[in-house]
Amino acid sequence: MCGKSKTEMEMRLQEPRVWMRYAYALKQIEWKLRWIDVELAEQKNRQIIRAMNGRLKSVDSIKKKLRRKGKPVTFESAEANLNDIAGMRVVCYFCDDIDIVADAIRKQRDLRIVKEKDYVRNPKPSGYQSVHIIVAVPLTCGAVTEEIPVEIQIRSVAMDYWAELDTQMCYKKSAGQIKHVEREICGYSAVIAGVDNQMLELRKRIEMM
Ligand code: 0O2
C-alpha cells in the first residue's frame, strides 16, 4: 500500500464548507487592506505598504502548532485554539508605518479586534518584531452570521528581512542545539532595528527640507 490515509481532522479541514470560510475571510481582509493602502498613499503622499501576502495554514502546520501549544490535535481544537488558520502579512516601508496601518485596521467598523500583540515595542526573546492583530471577520450565510478569525502581521521591510532569515535558520528548529545561533540572530535583530530607526530619521529629515 502506498500513500497516507487522511486523518479525521484533515478530512474536516479540507471540506469546502470549512476552508471556504477562512478563504472568504482572508479575501475580505485582502481587499480591505488594498483599500487602506490606496487611502493611506493619498493621505501621506507616499506609499506606506510595500507588500501583502495571505495564506491558509496547511494541515501539517496546524497539527504541528497544536502539538507545540500542547492542545489536542483535532478539528475542534484547531478551530478553538488557532487564530491564524487564515493569516495576512503586511510589509511596510518604514517602522512608523506599522502604527499607521494598525490604526487604519482598528478604525474598520465591520471588523472586531479580538487580540493585539505588539512585538515591536516588546520584541520576542528571539528578537522577532511585528505587530499582530487578530480580527474577527463576519460571515453571513442565509440567516446565520459567524465570525472568522484572521491574523494580520504588520512589520517593516527590515523586520521582514530578519523574520524571513530567522525562519530559514532558527524558528521552529529544536532549541538547545542551535543556542549560539539563536543568540547571534537575536543580536542582528537589534542591529536591524537600529538601522530601521536611522532610515526613519533620514526620511523625516528629507520631509523637513
Ligand atoms: P507560521 O508558519 O509563520 O504561521 P496566539 O495563539 O494568537 O496567542 P500564537 O500564534 O501562538 O499566538 O503565537 P505568536 O508568537 O503571537 O505568533 C505566532 C506567529 O508569529 C508565528 O506563526 C510566526 O509567523 C510569527 N513568529 C513568532 N515568533 C517568531 C520568531 O521568533 N521568528 C519568526 N521568524 N517568526 C515568529 P507560526 O504558526 O508559529 O508559524
Side-chain angles (χ1 to χ4, degrees):
M1 276 224 310
C2 63
K4 226 171 35 166
S5 60
K6 285 185 182 174
T7 60
E8 199 236 341
M9 180 174 109
E10 241 163 311
M11 286 193 298
R12 291 192 63 190
L13 282 169
Q14 285 167 353
E15 277 173 23
R17 258 179 289 189
V18 171
W19 70 259
M20 277 167 65
R21 290 151 59 239
Y22 292 103
Y24 168 88
L26 197 56
K27 270 280 166 240
Q28 294 288 310
I29 292 301
E30 184 191 327
W31 278 101
K32 198 163 266 298
L33 285 165
R34 282 195 192 191
W35 196 269
I36 288 173
D37 180 28
V38 170
E39 287 204 320
L40 289 179
E42 269 173 26
Q43 274 172 31
K44 307 282 176 190
N45 217 13
R46 67 177 175 86
Q47 212 62 42
I48 302 292
I49 295 177
R50 179 177 184 271
M52 285 184 244
N53 194 14
R55 63 104 186 90
L56 292 183
K57 211 171 185 62
S58 69
V59 176
D60 205 39
S61 183
I62 288 174
K63 283 189 203 162
K64 284 185 185 150
K65 187 153 187 172
L66 288 172
R67 283 193 201 107
R68 251 187 4 247
K69 283 174 160 265
K71 302 289 181 191
V73 184
T74 63
F75 169 74
E76 288 75 15
S77 164
E79 289 232 304
N81 295 308
L82 301 187
N83 285 316
D84 67 339
I85 293 180
M88 177 67 76
R89 184 166 297 151
V90 182
V91 178
C92 305
Y93 284 93
F94 291 92
C95 47
D96 66 338
D97 294 337
I98 298 171
D99 282 343
I100 295 174
V101 173
D103 278 344
I105 293 169
R106 290 184 198 111
K107 282 186 189 139
Q108 304 301 310
R109 288 174 57 187
D110 55 346
L111 296 180
R112 186 171 65 81
I113 306 294
V114 178
K115 184 156 64 170
E116 295 194 36
K117 289 187 185 175
D118 190 342
Y119 296 129
V120 173
R121 286 177 181 87
N122 304 295
K124 291 189 82 164
S126 61
Y128 176 76
Q129 297 188 67
S130 268
V131 165
H132 291 187
I133 303 184
I134 315 285
V135 293
V137 179
L139 162 59
T140 303
C141 252
V144 182
T145 298
E146 66 169 320
E147 289 187 325
I148 312 294
V150 178
E151 181 186 76
I152 308 174
Q153 297 183 347
I154 315 164
R155 56 204 194 206
S156 70
V157 65
M159 293 167 194
D160 191 55
Y161 160 75
W162 182 93
E164 288 286 322
L165 297 193
D166 177 62
T167 299
Q168 288 276 323
M169 294 186 284
C170 273
Y171 189 52
K172 297 181 191 171
K173 303 264 188 316
S174 52
Q177 290 167 334
I178 50 163
K179 263 277 162 279
H180 59 290
V181 179
E182 285 176 356
R183 262 198 307 275
E184 198 170 332
I185 201 162
C186 182
Y188 296 145
S189 160
V191 173
I192 283 169
V195 176
D196 224 2
N197 278 313
Q198 284 171 319
M199 288 293 196
L200 174 60
E201 289 311 315
L202 187 58
R203 193 201 78 213
K204 286 183 177 168
R205 289 210 307 272
I206 293 169
E207 284 168 353
M208 300 288 281
M209 284 177 187

